[in-house]
Short mmCIF file of all heavy atoms in Angstrom, two decimals:
data_model
loop_
_atom_site.label_atom_id
_atom_site.label_comp_id
_atom_site.label_asym_id
_atom_site.label_seq_id
_atom_site.Cartn_x
_atom_site.Cartn_y
_atom_site.Cartn_z
N MET E 1407 59.62 10.92 -12.67
CA MET E 1407 58.17 10.66 -12.91
C MET E 1407 58.04 9.48 -13.86
O MET E 1407 58.65 9.45 -14.93
CB MET E 1407 57.50 11.90 -13.44
CG MET E 1407 56.03 11.76 -13.67
SD MET E 1407 55.22 13.25 -14.28
CE MET E 1407 55.03 14.18 -12.79
N THR E 1408 57.21 8.54 -13.52
CA THR E 1408 57.00 7.34 -14.35
C THR E 1408 56.04 7.69 -15.52
O THR E 1408 55.38 8.72 -15.52
CB THR E 1408 56.36 6.19 -13.58
OG1 THR E 1408 55.06 6.54 -13.19
CG2 THR E 1408 57.23 5.86 -12.34
N GLU E 1409 56.01 6.78 -16.49
CA GLU E 1409 55.14 6.95 -17.62
C GLU E 1409 53.66 6.99 -17.23
O GLU E 1409 52.85 7.77 -17.67
CB GLU E 1409 55.34 5.83 -18.63
CG GLU E 1409 54.55 5.99 -19.92
CD GLU E 1409 54.86 4.92 -20.93
OE1 GLU E 1409 55.95 4.29 -20.87
OE2 GLU E 1409 54.00 4.73 -21.80
N ILE E 1410 53.31 6.14 -16.23
CA ILE E 1410 51.95 6.12 -15.69
C ILE E 1410 51.61 7.46 -15.03
O ILE E 1410 50.52 7.98 -15.20
CB ILE E 1410 51.79 4.94 -14.69
CG1 ILE E 1410 51.94 3.58 -15.40
CG2 ILE E 1410 50.40 5.06 -13.98
CD1 ILE E 1410 50.84 3.22 -16.35
N GLU E 1411 52.55 8.00 -14.27
CA GLU E 1411 52.31 9.28 -13.59
C GLU E 1411 52.14 10.41 -14.62
O GLU E 1411 51.28 11.21 -14.43
CB GLU E 1411 53.49 9.59 -12.67
CG GLU E 1411 53.51 8.70 -11.42
CD GLU E 1411 54.79 8.87 -10.61
OE1 GLU E 1411 55.86 9.20 -11.20
OE2 GLU E 1411 54.74 8.67 -9.37
N ARG E 1412 52.92 10.41 -15.65
CA ARG E 1412 52.80 11.39 -16.72
C ARG E 1412 51.42 11.27 -17.38
O ARG E 1412 50.75 12.26 -17.68
CB ARG E 1412 53.85 11.27 -17.74
CG ARG E 1412 55.22 11.85 -17.31
CD ARG E 1412 56.24 11.98 -18.40
NE ARG E 1412 56.55 10.68 -19.00
CZ ARG E 1412 57.52 9.86 -18.54
NH1 ARG E 1412 58.21 10.19 -17.51
NH2 ARG E 1412 57.73 8.74 -19.16
N PHE E 1413 51.01 10.04 -17.66
CA PHE E 1413 49.70 9.79 -18.29
C PHE E 1413 48.62 10.34 -17.35
O PHE E 1413 47.70 11.03 -17.81
CB PHE E 1413 49.53 8.30 -18.53
CG PHE E 1413 48.17 7.94 -19.05
CD1 PHE E 1413 47.82 8.25 -20.37
CD2 PHE E 1413 47.24 7.31 -18.23
CE1 PHE E 1413 46.50 7.94 -20.83
CE2 PHE E 1413 45.97 7.00 -18.70
CZ PHE E 1413 45.60 7.30 -20.00
N ARG E 1414 48.68 9.96 -16.08
CA ARG E 1414 47.65 10.45 -15.15
C ARG E 1414 47.61 11.95 -15.09
O ARG E 1414 46.53 12.54 -15.10
CB ARG E 1414 47.95 9.84 -13.75
CG ARG E 1414 46.83 10.17 -12.74
CD ARG E 1414 47.07 9.58 -11.36
NE ARG E 1414 48.35 10.07 -10.83
CZ ARG E 1414 49.31 9.29 -10.40
NH1 ARG E 1414 49.22 8.00 -10.38
NH2 ARG E 1414 50.41 9.84 -9.92
N ASP E 1415 48.78 12.60 -15.07
CA ASP E 1415 48.81 14.07 -15.05
C ASP E 1415 48.14 14.67 -16.33
O ASP E 1415 47.43 15.63 -16.26
CB ASP E 1415 50.22 14.57 -14.88
CG ASP E 1415 50.79 14.38 -13.53
OD1 ASP E 1415 49.95 14.03 -12.56
OD2 ASP E 1415 51.97 14.60 -13.30
N THR E 1416 48.45 14.01 -17.47
CA THR E 1416 47.85 14.49 -18.69
C THR E 1416 46.36 14.38 -18.68
O THR E 1416 45.64 15.30 -19.07
CB THR E 1416 48.43 13.66 -19.88
OG1 THR E 1416 49.83 13.84 -19.93
CG2 THR E 1416 47.86 14.15 -21.23
N VAL E 1417 45.87 13.26 -18.15
CA VAL E 1417 44.39 13.06 -18.07
C VAL E 1417 43.79 14.13 -17.14
O VAL E 1417 42.78 14.72 -17.45
CB VAL E 1417 44.08 11.65 -17.62
CG1 VAL E 1417 42.61 11.48 -17.22
CG2 VAL E 1417 44.45 10.64 -18.70
N GLU E 1418 44.43 14.29 -15.99
CA GLU E 1418 43.90 15.31 -15.04
C GLU E 1418 43.90 16.70 -15.58
O GLU E 1418 42.93 17.44 -15.40
CB GLU E 1418 44.74 15.24 -13.70
CG GLU E 1418 44.62 13.94 -12.96
CD GLU E 1418 43.26 13.72 -12.25
OE1 GLU E 1418 42.36 14.56 -12.35
OE2 GLU E 1418 43.09 12.63 -11.66
N GLN E 1419 44.91 17.06 -16.31
CA GLN E 1419 45.00 18.39 -16.94
C GLN E 1419 43.91 18.54 -17.99
O GLN E 1419 43.29 19.62 -18.11
CB GLN E 1419 46.37 18.67 -17.53
CG GLN E 1419 47.44 18.77 -16.49
CD GLN E 1419 48.82 18.88 -17.15
OE1 GLN E 1419 49.00 18.82 -18.36
NE2 GLN E 1419 49.84 18.94 -16.29
N PHE E 1420 43.71 17.52 -18.76
CA PHE E 1420 42.64 17.54 -19.79
C PHE E 1420 41.27 17.74 -19.15
O PHE E 1420 40.47 18.54 -19.59
CB PHE E 1420 42.70 16.23 -20.61
CG PHE E 1420 41.70 16.23 -21.75
CD1 PHE E 1420 42.08 16.70 -23.01
CD2 PHE E 1420 40.47 15.70 -21.60
CE1 PHE E 1420 41.15 16.70 -24.08
CE2 PHE E 1420 39.54 15.67 -22.66
CZ PHE E 1420 39.92 16.17 -23.89
N ILE E 1421 41.01 16.96 -18.08
CA ILE E 1421 39.75 17.06 -17.40
C ILE E 1421 39.55 18.48 -16.87
O ILE E 1421 38.48 19.09 -16.98
CB ILE E 1421 39.68 16.03 -16.24
CG1 ILE E 1421 39.51 14.61 -16.86
CG2 ILE E 1421 38.50 16.36 -15.28
CD1 ILE E 1421 39.68 13.51 -15.83
N ALA E 1422 40.55 19.02 -16.20
CA ALA E 1422 40.47 20.37 -15.63
C ALA E 1422 40.28 21.44 -16.70
O ALA E 1422 39.46 22.38 -16.53
CB ALA E 1422 41.71 20.66 -14.80
N SER E 1423 41.05 21.31 -17.79
CA SER E 1423 40.93 22.33 -18.82
C SER E 1423 39.60 22.33 -19.59
O SER E 1423 39.18 23.34 -20.08
CB SER E 1423 42.09 22.18 -19.84
OG SER E 1423 41.97 21.03 -20.60
N ARG E 1424 38.96 21.15 -19.62
CA ARG E 1424 37.68 21.09 -20.33
C ARG E 1424 36.49 21.23 -19.44
O ARG E 1424 35.36 21.37 -19.86
CB ARG E 1424 37.52 19.71 -21.02
CG ARG E 1424 38.60 19.36 -22.07
CD ARG E 1424 38.71 20.46 -23.12
NE ARG E 1424 39.77 20.15 -24.10
CZ ARG E 1424 41.06 20.25 -23.90
NH1 ARG E 1424 41.57 20.61 -22.70
NH2 ARG E 1424 41.90 20.01 -24.84
N GLY E 1425 36.71 21.20 -18.12
CA GLY E 1425 35.65 21.32 -17.19
C GLY E 1425 34.65 20.15 -17.25
O GLY E 1425 33.47 20.31 -17.03
N ILE E 1426 35.18 18.95 -17.56
CA ILE E 1426 34.32 17.78 -17.60
C ILE E 1426 34.60 16.93 -16.36
O ILE E 1426 35.55 17.17 -15.62
CB ILE E 1426 34.62 16.93 -18.85
CG1 ILE E 1426 36.05 16.42 -18.89
CG2 ILE E 1426 34.26 17.70 -20.11
CD1 ILE E 1426 36.33 15.46 -20.02
N THR E 1427 33.64 16.02 -16.08
CA THR E 1427 33.81 15.20 -14.88
C THR E 1427 34.71 13.98 -15.23
O THR E 1427 34.80 13.64 -16.44
CB THR E 1427 32.48 14.67 -14.38
OG1 THR E 1427 31.94 13.78 -15.35
CG2 THR E 1427 31.50 15.83 -14.11
N PRO E 1428 35.29 13.40 -14.21
CA PRO E 1428 36.07 12.13 -14.47
C PRO E 1428 35.22 11.06 -15.09
O PRO E 1428 35.70 10.29 -15.98
CB PRO E 1428 36.55 11.75 -13.10
CG PRO E 1428 36.55 13.01 -12.33
CD PRO E 1428 35.43 13.83 -12.84
N THR E 1429 33.95 11.01 -14.73
CA THR E 1429 33.04 10.01 -15.29
C THR E 1429 32.86 10.24 -16.76
O THR E 1429 32.86 9.32 -17.59
CB THR E 1429 31.71 10.01 -14.53
OG1 THR E 1429 31.91 9.79 -13.15
CG2 THR E 1429 30.73 8.97 -15.09
N GLN E 1430 32.64 11.52 -17.13
CA GLN E 1430 32.47 11.87 -18.58
C GLN E 1430 33.75 11.45 -19.36
O GLN E 1430 33.65 10.91 -20.41
CB GLN E 1430 32.25 13.34 -18.75
CG GLN E 1430 30.83 13.79 -18.32
CD GLN E 1430 30.74 15.30 -18.29
OE1 GLN E 1430 31.59 16.03 -17.86
NE2 GLN E 1430 29.58 15.80 -18.80
N PHE E 1431 34.90 11.79 -18.80
CA PHE E 1431 36.13 11.45 -19.50
C PHE E 1431 36.20 9.91 -19.70
O PHE E 1431 36.52 9.45 -20.79
CB PHE E 1431 37.35 11.88 -18.69
CG PHE E 1431 38.67 11.61 -19.41
CD1 PHE E 1431 39.24 12.51 -20.25
CD2 PHE E 1431 39.30 10.37 -19.18
CE1 PHE E 1431 40.43 12.18 -20.89
CE2 PHE E 1431 40.48 10.09 -19.81
CZ PHE E 1431 41.07 10.97 -20.65
N GLY E 1432 35.99 9.20 -18.63
CA GLY E 1432 36.06 7.74 -18.68
C GLY E 1432 35.12 7.14 -19.76
O GLY E 1432 35.53 6.27 -20.50
N ARG E 1433 33.89 7.64 -19.75
CA ARG E 1433 32.93 7.14 -20.73
C ARG E 1433 33.37 7.44 -22.18
O ARG E 1433 33.28 6.59 -23.03
CB ARG E 1433 31.56 7.77 -20.49
CG ARG E 1433 30.81 7.13 -19.39
CD ARG E 1433 29.38 7.65 -19.35
NE ARG E 1433 28.67 7.05 -18.21
CZ ARG E 1433 28.00 7.76 -17.31
NH1 ARG E 1433 27.95 9.07 -17.39
NH2 ARG E 1433 27.45 7.13 -16.30
N GLU E 1434 33.80 8.66 -22.38
CA GLU E 1434 34.13 9.06 -23.77
C GLU E 1434 35.39 8.48 -24.28
O GLU E 1434 35.48 8.03 -25.43
CB GLU E 1434 34.18 10.58 -23.86
CG GLU E 1434 34.43 11.11 -25.27
CD GLU E 1434 34.33 12.59 -25.38
OE1 GLU E 1434 33.80 13.28 -24.46
OE2 GLU E 1434 34.76 13.15 -26.43
N PHE E 1435 36.40 8.45 -23.42
CA PHE E 1435 37.77 8.08 -23.93
C PHE E 1435 38.23 6.71 -23.59
O PHE E 1435 39.13 6.15 -24.23
CB PHE E 1435 38.81 9.14 -23.48
CG PHE E 1435 38.52 10.47 -24.04
CD1 PHE E 1435 37.99 11.49 -23.23
CD2 PHE E 1435 38.78 10.76 -25.39
CE1 PHE E 1435 37.72 12.73 -23.78
CE2 PHE E 1435 38.55 12.05 -25.90
CZ PHE E 1435 38.01 13.04 -25.07
N ALA E 1436 37.62 6.08 -22.55
CA ALA E 1436 38.06 4.75 -22.15
C ALA E 1436 36.93 3.70 -22.15
O ALA E 1436 37.14 2.58 -21.81
CB ALA E 1436 38.69 4.82 -20.75
N ALA E 1437 35.74 4.14 -22.43
CA ALA E 1437 34.52 3.31 -22.42
C ALA E 1437 34.39 2.67 -21.04
O ALA E 1437 33.91 1.53 -20.89
CB ALA E 1437 34.63 2.20 -23.48
N ASP E 1438 34.74 3.42 -19.98
CA ASP E 1438 34.67 2.94 -18.62
C ASP E 1438 34.49 4.17 -17.70
O ASP E 1438 35.46 4.90 -17.48
CB ASP E 1438 35.96 2.20 -18.25
CG ASP E 1438 36.03 1.69 -16.80
OD1 ASP E 1438 35.06 1.97 -16.04
OD2 ASP E 1438 37.03 1.09 -16.46
N PRO E 1439 33.30 4.35 -17.17
CA PRO E 1439 33.07 5.51 -16.33
C PRO E 1439 33.90 5.58 -15.05
O PRO E 1439 34.09 6.64 -14.51
CB PRO E 1439 31.57 5.45 -16.01
CG PRO E 1439 31.17 4.05 -16.29
CD PRO E 1439 32.11 3.50 -17.34
N LEU E 1440 34.49 4.44 -14.66
CA LEU E 1440 35.32 4.47 -13.44
C LEU E 1440 36.81 4.56 -13.74
O LEU E 1440 37.65 4.56 -12.83
CB LEU E 1440 35.07 3.15 -12.66
CG LEU E 1440 33.63 2.95 -12.18
CD1 LEU E 1440 33.51 1.61 -11.42
CD2 LEU E 1440 33.24 4.06 -11.20
N PHE E 1441 37.16 4.70 -15.03
CA PHE E 1441 38.58 4.71 -15.45
C PHE E 1441 39.41 5.71 -14.63
O PHE E 1441 40.46 5.37 -14.12
CB PHE E 1441 38.64 5.02 -16.98
CG PHE E 1441 40.03 5.03 -17.45
CD1 PHE E 1441 40.66 3.85 -17.79
CD2 PHE E 1441 40.75 6.23 -17.63
CE1 PHE E 1441 41.96 3.85 -18.27
CE2 PHE E 1441 42.02 6.25 -18.13
CZ PHE E 1441 42.65 5.01 -18.43
N VAL E 1442 39.01 6.97 -14.58
CA VAL E 1442 39.80 8.00 -13.90
C VAL E 1442 39.93 7.71 -12.43
O VAL E 1442 40.99 7.88 -11.81
CB VAL E 1442 39.27 9.41 -14.21
CG1 VAL E 1442 40.05 10.47 -13.42
CG2 VAL E 1442 39.32 9.73 -15.69
N PHE E 1443 38.80 7.33 -11.80
CA PHE E 1443 38.85 7.01 -10.39
C PHE E 1443 39.82 5.88 -10.09
O PHE E 1443 40.63 5.97 -9.14
CB PHE E 1443 37.42 6.69 -9.90
CG PHE E 1443 36.46 7.82 -10.08
CD1 PHE E 1443 35.53 7.74 -11.10
CD2 PHE E 1443 36.48 8.91 -9.27
CE1 PHE E 1443 34.61 8.76 -11.29
CE2 PHE E 1443 35.57 9.95 -9.44
CZ PHE E 1443 34.62 9.89 -10.44
N GLN E 1444 39.80 4.86 -10.93
CA GLN E 1444 40.71 3.75 -10.76
C GLN E 1444 42.14 4.16 -11.09
O GLN E 1444 43.08 3.69 -10.41
CB GLN E 1444 40.29 2.58 -11.58
CG GLN E 1444 39.00 1.94 -11.12
CD GLN E 1444 38.42 0.95 -12.09
OE1 GLN E 1444 38.87 0.77 -13.22
NE2 GLN E 1444 37.38 0.20 -11.62
N LEU E 1445 42.35 5.03 -12.03
CA LEU E 1445 43.67 5.50 -12.36
C LEU E 1445 44.23 6.28 -11.18
O LEU E 1445 45.40 6.09 -10.84
CB LEU E 1445 43.56 6.45 -13.61
CG LEU E 1445 44.88 7.00 -14.19
CD1 LEU E 1445 45.66 5.82 -14.77
CD2 LEU E 1445 44.52 8.00 -15.26
N ARG E 1446 43.43 7.07 -10.51
CA ARG E 1446 43.85 7.80 -9.32
C ARG E 1446 44.25 6.83 -8.19
O ARG E 1446 45.06 7.23 -7.36
CB ARG E 1446 42.75 8.75 -8.86
CG ARG E 1446 42.47 9.91 -9.81
CD ARG E 1446 41.28 10.70 -9.37
NE ARG E 1446 41.06 11.85 -10.22
CZ ARG E 1446 39.95 12.56 -10.26
NH1 ARG E 1446 38.93 12.23 -9.44
NH2 ARG E 1446 39.83 13.60 -11.03
N GLU E 1447 43.61 5.68 -8.15
CA GLU E 1447 43.87 4.73 -7.10
C GLU E 1447 45.03 3.75 -7.43
O GLU E 1447 45.29 2.81 -6.68
CB GLU E 1447 42.62 3.98 -6.74
CG GLU E 1447 41.56 4.87 -6.11
CD GLU E 1447 40.28 4.08 -5.85
OE1 GLU E 1447 40.19 2.86 -6.13
OE2 GLU E 1447 39.35 4.73 -5.31
N GLY E 1448 45.63 3.94 -8.59
CA GLY E 1448 46.79 3.11 -8.94
C GLY E 1448 46.61 2.21 -10.12
O GLY E 1448 47.53 1.41 -10.42
N ARG E 1449 45.47 2.30 -10.81
CA ARG E 1449 45.29 1.50 -12.00
C ARG E 1449 46.37 1.77 -12.99
O ARG E 1449 46.75 2.94 -13.21
CB ARG E 1449 43.90 1.78 -12.60
CG ARG E 1449 43.58 1.01 -13.87
CD ARG E 1449 42.22 1.32 -14.39
NE ARG E 1449 41.94 0.64 -15.59
CZ ARG E 1449 40.70 0.63 -16.17
NH1 ARG E 1449 39.71 1.32 -15.64
NH2 ARG E 1449 40.49 -0.01 -17.30
N GLU E 1450 46.90 0.72 -13.61
CA GLU E 1450 47.95 0.94 -14.64
C GLU E 1450 47.41 0.37 -15.99
O GLU E 1450 47.63 -0.83 -16.27
CB GLU E 1450 49.23 0.18 -14.21
CG GLU E 1450 49.84 0.81 -12.97
CD GLU E 1450 51.21 0.26 -12.63
OE1 GLU E 1450 51.80 -0.46 -13.51
OE2 GLU E 1450 51.68 0.51 -11.54
N PRO E 1451 46.81 1.21 -16.78
CA PRO E 1451 46.29 0.74 -18.08
C PRO E 1451 47.43 0.25 -19.00
O PRO E 1451 48.56 0.69 -18.86
CB PRO E 1451 45.61 1.96 -18.64
CG PRO E 1451 45.68 3.05 -17.63
CD PRO E 1451 46.60 2.61 -16.56
N ARG E 1452 47.06 -0.64 -19.87
CA ARG E 1452 48.05 -1.15 -20.82
C ARG E 1452 48.58 0.01 -21.67
O ARG E 1452 47.89 1.03 -21.89
CB ARG E 1452 47.34 -2.16 -21.77
CG ARG E 1452 46.93 -3.38 -21.07
CD ARG E 1452 46.36 -4.28 -22.14
NE ARG E 1452 45.48 -5.28 -21.44
CZ ARG E 1452 44.64 -6.08 -22.10
NH1 ARG E 1452 44.49 -5.98 -23.39
NH2 ARG E 1452 43.94 -6.93 -21.39
N THR E 1453 49.73 -0.20 -22.23
CA THR E 1453 50.36 0.75 -23.08
C THR E 1453 49.49 1.16 -24.24
O THR E 1453 49.31 2.33 -24.59
CB THR E 1453 51.71 0.30 -23.62
OG1 THR E 1453 52.57 -0.01 -22.49
CG2 THR E 1453 52.42 1.30 -24.49
N ALA E 1454 48.85 0.17 -24.86
CA ALA E 1454 47.97 0.42 -25.98
C ALA E 1454 46.77 1.27 -25.61
O ALA E 1454 46.35 2.17 -26.35
CB ALA E 1454 47.49 -0.88 -26.61
N THR E 1455 46.25 1.01 -24.44
CA THR E 1455 45.09 1.80 -23.93
C THR E 1455 45.51 3.26 -23.68
O THR E 1455 44.83 4.19 -24.05
CB THR E 1455 44.53 1.18 -22.64
OG1 THR E 1455 44.13 -0.14 -22.92
CG2 THR E 1455 43.40 1.98 -22.09
N ARG E 1456 46.66 3.41 -23.03
CA ARG E 1456 47.15 4.78 -22.77
C ARG E 1456 47.40 5.53 -24.08
O ARG E 1456 47.00 6.68 -24.21
CB ARG E 1456 48.45 4.75 -21.97
CG ARG E 1456 48.25 4.24 -20.53
CD ARG E 1456 49.45 4.43 -19.62
NE ARG E 1456 50.71 4.05 -20.20
CZ ARG E 1456 51.28 2.86 -20.02
NH1 ARG E 1456 50.72 1.94 -19.29
NH2 ARG E 1456 52.47 2.66 -20.55
N GLN E 1457 47.98 4.85 -25.05
CA GLN E 1457 48.31 5.51 -26.33
C GLN E 1457 46.99 5.92 -27.07
O GLN E 1457 46.89 6.97 -27.60
CB GLN E 1457 49.16 4.63 -27.22
CG GLN E 1457 49.70 5.37 -28.43
CD GLN E 1457 50.52 6.58 -28.07
OE1 GLN E 1457 51.45 6.50 -27.30
NE2 GLN E 1457 50.16 7.73 -28.58
N ARG E 1458 45.98 5.01 -27.02
CA ARG E 1458 44.70 5.30 -27.68
C ARG E 1458 44.04 6.51 -27.06
O ARG E 1458 43.60 7.42 -27.80
CB ARG E 1458 43.78 4.09 -27.54
CG ARG E 1458 42.43 4.27 -28.20
CD ARG E 1458 41.58 3.01 -28.10
NE ARG E 1458 41.54 2.39 -26.84
CZ ARG E 1458 40.73 2.75 -25.76
NH1 ARG E 1458 39.98 3.78 -25.93
NH2 ARG E 1458 40.77 2.09 -24.65
N ILE E 1459 44.12 6.63 -25.76
CA ILE E 1459 43.52 7.80 -25.08
C ILE E 1459 44.33 9.06 -25.36
O ILE E 1459 43.73 10.11 -25.66
CB ILE E 1459 43.43 7.53 -23.55
CG1 ILE E 1459 42.38 6.41 -23.30
CG2 ILE E 1459 43.06 8.79 -22.77
CD1 ILE E 1459 42.35 5.91 -21.91
N LEU E 1460 45.63 8.97 -25.33
CA LEU E 1460 46.47 10.12 -25.65
C LEU E 1460 46.22 10.61 -27.07
O LEU E 1460 46.16 11.82 -27.33
CB LEU E 1460 47.94 9.83 -25.42
CG LEU E 1460 48.35 9.61 -23.95
CD1 LEU E 1460 49.79 9.13 -23.89
CD2 LEU E 1460 48.17 10.90 -23.17
N ASP E 1461 46.10 9.69 -28.01
CA ASP E 1461 45.83 10.02 -29.40
C ASP E 1461 44.47 10.74 -29.51
O ASP E 1461 44.30 11.67 -30.27
CB ASP E 1461 45.82 8.78 -30.30
CG ASP E 1461 47.26 8.24 -30.48
OD1 ASP E 1461 48.22 8.93 -30.15
OD2 ASP E 1461 47.34 7.08 -30.93
N ALA E 1462 43.49 10.25 -28.75
CA ALA E 1462 42.14 10.83 -28.80
C ALA E 1462 42.08 12.23 -28.23
O ALA E 1462 41.32 13.06 -28.76
CB ALA E 1462 41.14 9.91 -28.08
N ILE E 1463 42.85 12.51 -27.21
CA ILE E 1463 42.77 13.86 -26.64
C ILE E 1463 43.80 14.82 -27.21
O ILE E 1463 43.65 16.02 -27.05
CB ILE E 1463 42.88 13.78 -25.07
CG1 ILE E 1463 44.29 13.30 -24.63
CG2 ILE E 1463 41.83 12.97 -24.49
CD1 ILE E 1463 44.49 13.31 -23.11
N ALA E 1464 44.78 14.34 -27.93
CA ALA E 1464 45.81 15.24 -28.51
C ALA E 1464 45.26 16.21 -29.51
O ALA E 1464 45.59 17.41 -29.43
CB ALA E 1464 46.93 14.37 -29.08
N PRO E 1465 44.48 15.82 -30.48
CA PRO E 1465 43.98 16.81 -31.48
C PRO E 1465 43.25 18.00 -30.83
O PRO E 1465 43.41 19.14 -31.28
CB PRO E 1465 43.04 16.04 -32.39
CG PRO E 1465 43.44 14.65 -32.23
CD PRO E 1465 43.97 14.50 -30.79
N THR E 1466 42.48 17.74 -29.81
CA THR E 1466 41.74 18.83 -29.11
C THR E 1466 42.75 19.79 -28.48
O THR E 1466 42.58 20.98 -28.58
CB THR E 1466 40.79 18.22 -28.04
OG1 THR E 1466 39.93 17.33 -28.65
CG2 THR E 1466 40.01 19.32 -27.38
N SER E 1467 43.80 19.25 -27.86
CA SER E 1467 44.79 20.10 -27.26
C SER E 1467 45.50 20.97 -28.29
O SER E 1467 45.76 22.14 -28.08
CB SER E 1467 45.79 19.26 -26.52
OG SER E 1467 45.19 18.51 -25.48
N LYS E 1468 45.85 20.37 -29.42
CA LYS E 1468 46.54 21.10 -30.46
C LYS E 1468 45.65 22.18 -31.07
O LYS E 1468 46.13 23.26 -31.37
CB LYS E 1468 47.00 20.16 -31.58
CG LYS E 1468 48.11 19.24 -31.12
CD LYS E 1468 48.48 18.27 -32.20
CE LYS E 1468 49.54 17.26 -31.73
NZ LYS E 1468 49.81 16.22 -32.71
N GLN E 1469 44.37 21.95 -31.22
CA GLN E 1469 43.45 22.97 -31.71
C GLN E 1469 43.36 24.14 -30.83
O GLN E 1469 43.37 25.28 -31.28
CB GLN E 1469 42.08 22.35 -31.95
CG GLN E 1469 41.98 21.35 -33.05
CD GLN E 1469 40.61 20.64 -33.12
OE1 GLN E 1469 39.77 20.97 -32.35
NE2 GLN E 1469 40.50 19.77 -34.10
N GLU E 1470 43.33 23.89 -29.55
CA GLU E 1470 43.23 25.02 -28.59
C GLU E 1470 44.53 25.83 -28.56
O GLU E 1470 44.51 27.03 -28.37
CB GLU E 1470 42.93 24.52 -27.19
CG GLU E 1470 41.48 24.09 -27.08
CD GLU E 1470 41.06 23.78 -25.66
OE1 GLU E 1470 41.94 23.89 -24.75
OE2 GLU E 1470 39.92 23.41 -25.43
N THR E 1471 45.66 25.14 -28.66
CA THR E 1471 46.94 25.85 -28.69
C THR E 1471 47.03 26.81 -29.91
O THR E 1471 47.54 27.91 -29.78
CB THR E 1471 48.12 24.82 -28.77
OG1 THR E 1471 47.98 23.92 -27.69
CG2 THR E 1471 49.45 25.52 -28.66
N ALA E 1472 46.52 26.39 -31.04
CA ALA E 1472 46.58 27.20 -32.25
C ALA E 1472 45.59 28.37 -32.17
O ALA E 1472 45.78 29.37 -32.82
CB ALA E 1472 46.24 26.31 -33.46
N ALA E 1473 44.52 28.22 -31.41
CA ALA E 1473 43.48 29.26 -31.37
C ALA E 1473 43.90 30.46 -30.64
O ALA E 1473 44.73 30.64 -29.93
CB ALA E 1473 42.24 28.66 -30.72
#
C-alpha cells in the first residue's frame, strides 16, 4: 500500500467514524470542498498538505481512543 493509499484510507475512516460528508471534511480540513472527491479519483496532495490534515485529525482520534 502506498503512502497516498494509506492517507486516503485514513481520511475515509475519519469521515465514516464521524458521520460527516466528504464535502464537510474537505471544507474543514483542506479548505477545498472537492478535496475528498478528487482524492478518490487519484488526486495526490503534497506531503505537507497530507501531514497538515493528518495532524488536524489525529487529536480527535486520540481523544476518542482514550474515552
Side-chain angles (χ1 to χ4, degrees):
M1407 182 179 280
T1408 68
E1409 185 176 338
I1410 295 291
E1411 289 170 330
R1412 283 191 299 274
F1413 174 74
R1414 186 179 58 234
D1415 287 350
T1416 300
V1417 169
E1418 294 289 359
Q1419 289 172 3
F1420 184 88
I1421 289 169
S1423 69
R1424 300 308 178 283
I1426 62 174
T1427 67
T1429 303
Q1430 289 172 315
F1431 181 93
R1433 279 190 183 126
E1434 183 173 346
F1435 297 104
D1438 178 358
L1440 298 178
F1441 181 82
V1442 175
F1443 299 104
Q1444 292 171 348
L1445 187 65
R1446 290 172 177 168
E1447 293 177 0
R1449 178 178 180 173
E1450 295 187 13
R1452 295 182 200 167
T1453 301
T1455 301
R1456 292 192 313 266
Q1457 191 58 55
R1458 179 177 48 80
I1459 290 170
L1460 291 172
D1461 290 346
I1463 66 177
T1466 303
S1467 298
K1468 290 177 185 174
Q1469 289 173 2
E1470 284 190 0
T1471 304

